[in-house]
Amino acid sequence: MAATAASSLQITASKPFIFSAQHFFKGNVANIGMKSLTAPWAKLSSACHVSSTQHFTRTFTSSPAKFEKAATKAMSEPGESKPASGLAINLKGKRAFIAGVADDNGYGWAIAKSLAAAGAEILLGTWVPALNIFETSLRRGKFDESRVLPDGSLMEITKVYPLDAVFDTPEDVPEDIKANKRYAGSSNWTIKEVAACVKQDFGSIDILVHSLANGPEVTKPLLETSRKGYLAAISASSYSYVSLLKHFLPIVNPGGSSISLTYIASERIIPGYGGGMSSAKAALESDTKVLAFEAGRKHKVRVNTISAGPLRSRAAKAIGFIDMMIDYSLENAPFQKELSADEVGNTAAFLASPLASAITGAVIYVDNGLNAMGVGVDSPIFKDLNIPKANSS
């Protein structure tokens, strides 16, 4: 089964679908007035260019809107004469490849936005069956609102590559996939081929992001999971990262960074998160440490993973209990607020920047502190305890 983009719980259900995203939460409210903007999209003529991206210019207009979100000021605003105070995240001149983005509603999209806000050039890898609708939505401006960056401009995506991270080389692709009409018209979409295409088109990258996960039997308890389903989860959600690094590391510039997404089910019991997905996330975290050593010694590239809390994305809803997990987090996490995809995106931007130059082999928790809790304080057993609650004002 094809690998799909990682959800808030880092997995899609048996129906494969890729996603990525932005979710707004109640926090700092900023009024952003958007002027008419143009977004030029460069068409790259290359033997490797198999997606349908076309050169086009789109005018985006909107009345002032309120966005309830937390935004990191990555760079100075246009026209500012004074240098920005503090430690700005500056990724100007850097190029990022984010694998696993096919809409504007998940962590992969949020990471792309934060990297773009910091000045990085954005390349995307999109699951082949979702490629056409994704690019069509981009061209028609359906994602324009969620492309808005903190400075009011729109995130620009230089190129979208077809990608199926379940397959390393063309020889690995079975005949039924080759004949599948959802793959018709696309080529060069295995991991090895995509890496070669990126090298041919751009020469090198600086940031590699793995936002992929899929478990066809995720709704099954582990004891009811088949060998095929278990291995499929490991293949799409864990080994795909090993393969991605294997084939992309030769074109990642020294000092570069690679980031993946994991989930607390790797180390805690999360009933309902089955099908071998908890094992896949545990493998991903273990591999992160080994890959950090090997990539660091051989290529001077840092490797980290972000353990993100639950997000109300489209794919997460396919699991069936995402609302429950968000409610549980609100009741039990040290910070009683809903997690924003932007908070994960901003963490990724930090990890990709020189500010994190000594951080590698790490699992970074971005979950409002839920990982630190040993018990669920909303349990009736604690009803007589004076447990602090968030100030409602």
Side-chain angles (χ1 to χ4, degrees):
M1 177 167 292
T4 64
S7 74
S8 62
L9 292 185
Q10 313 311 323
I11 180 60
T12 62
S14 56
K15 180 180 178 182
F17 188 75
I18 301 194
F19 58 96
S20 283
Q22 169 172 344
H23 182 79
F24 299 120
F25 74 98
K26 293 184 178 180
N28 298 329
V29 179
N31 287 322
I32 302 175
M34 291 172 288
K35 299 179 180 179
S36 296
L37 301 168
T38 60
W41 291 67
K43 180 179 180 182
L44 298 168
S45 59
S46 160
C48 295
H49 183 65
V50 295
S51 64
S52 58
T53 304
Q54 298 178 0
H55 180 87
F56 68 96
T57 301
R58 174 177 177 79
T59 300
F60 175 73
T61 59
S62 173
S63 57
K66 283 189 176 181
F67 292 91
E68 295 182 315
K69 58 179 282 188
T72 295
K73 184 176 180 182
M75 300 177 293
S76 299
E77 301 291 342
E80 286 187 353
S81 58
K82 297 180 180 179
S85 61
L87 291 172
I89 296 176
N90 190 343
L91 297 175
K92 288 182 179 179
K94 304 297 183 182
R95 183 178 296 116
F97 181 88
I98 301 101
V101 180
D103 64 27
D104 63 343
N105 192 248
Y107 285 134
W109 178 272
I111 290 171
K113 278 191 66 178
S114 291
L115 295 176
E121 181 180 11
I122 303 301
L123 312 176
L124 300 181
T126 297
W127 188 47
V128 184
L131 180 67
N132 184 57
I133 190 170
F134 179 65
E135 291 192 314
T136 299
S137 296
L138 279 173
R139 285 195 300 272
R140 293 179 178 175
K142 291 185 178 180
F143 299 150
D144 281 357
E145 184 175 344
S146 57
R147 285 172 56 206
V148 178
L149 299 176
D151 67 357
S153 65
L154 298 185
M155 172 177 68
E156 292 196 27
I157 300 169
T158 301
K159 186 168 180 178
V160 180
Y161 292 86
L163 171 68
D164 193 327
V166 164
F167 306 108
D168 304 320
T169 69
E171 292 73 30
D172 298 328
V173 182
E175 291 301 321
D176 63 321
I177 295 295
K178 292 178 182 178
N180 192 312
K181 64 181 182 180
R182 295 188 298 173
Y183 288 76
S186 293
S187 60
N188 300 319
W189 44 258
T190 64
I191 293 177
K192 182 178 180 179
E193 291 172 300
V194 174
C197 287
V198 172
K199 180 180 180 179
Q200 180 174 321
D201 291 340
F202 299 98
S204 65
I205 62 172
D206 303 279
I207 302 160
L208 178 65
V209 178
H210 177 275
S211 181
L212 296 162
N214 188 56
E217 298 181 17
V218 64
T219 58
K220 291 184 179 180
L222 189 57
L223 283 174
E224 296 176 16
T225 300
S226 68
R227 181 184 295 271
K228 182 179 180 181
Y230 184 94
L231 294 178
I234 295 287
S235 173
S237 310
S238 304
Y239 185 77
S240 59
Y241 188 39
V242 176
S243 181
L244 203 69
L245 272 170
K246 174 183 177 181
H247 291 95
F248 273 84
L249 270 176
I251 65 169
V252 178
N253 292 320
S257 175
S258 183
I259 302 161
S260 66
L261 291 168
T262 186
Y263 181 54
I264 192 65
S266 63
E267 54 186 289
R268 299 283 190 272
I269 300 168
I270 306 293
Y273 192 76
M277 277 307 303
S278 57
S279 308
K281 291 304 179 183
L284 181 66
E285 292 180 18
S286 178
D287 290 343
T288 294
K289 295 175 173 59
V290 178
L291 292 169
F293 174 75
E294 295 182 1
R297 290 295 182 95
K298 295 179 180 179
H299 299 275
K300 292 181 169 48
V301 171
R302 295 178 294 108
V303 181
N304 294 291
T305 188
I306 297 173
S307 184
L311 178 74
R312 213 183 306 270
S313 64
R314 293 187 191 99
K317 293 177 181 178
I319 303 173
F321 66 100
I322 185 61
D323 291 334
M324 245 186 296
M325 292 306 300
I326 291 174
D327 291 342
Y328 179 85
S329 180
L330 285 170
E331 289 297 321
N332 294 286
F335 276 6
Q336 288 187 278
K337 65 177 183 59
E338 194 163 329
L339 183 68
S340 163
D342 289 341
E343 292 172 300
V344 172
N346 292 339
T347 301
F350 163 72
L351 289 173
S353 77
L355 298 179
S357 59
I359 301 175
T360 192
V363 177
I364 306 297
Y365 297 94
V366 185
D367 61 359
N368 290 322
L370 186 62
N371 72 91
M373 300 301 296
V375 296
V377 295
D378 61 343
S379 171
I381 215 165
F382 298 116
K383 67 181 187 304
D384 296 327
L385 292 182
N386 185 22
I387 296 174
K389 293 287 185 182
N391 192 331
S392 58
S393 60

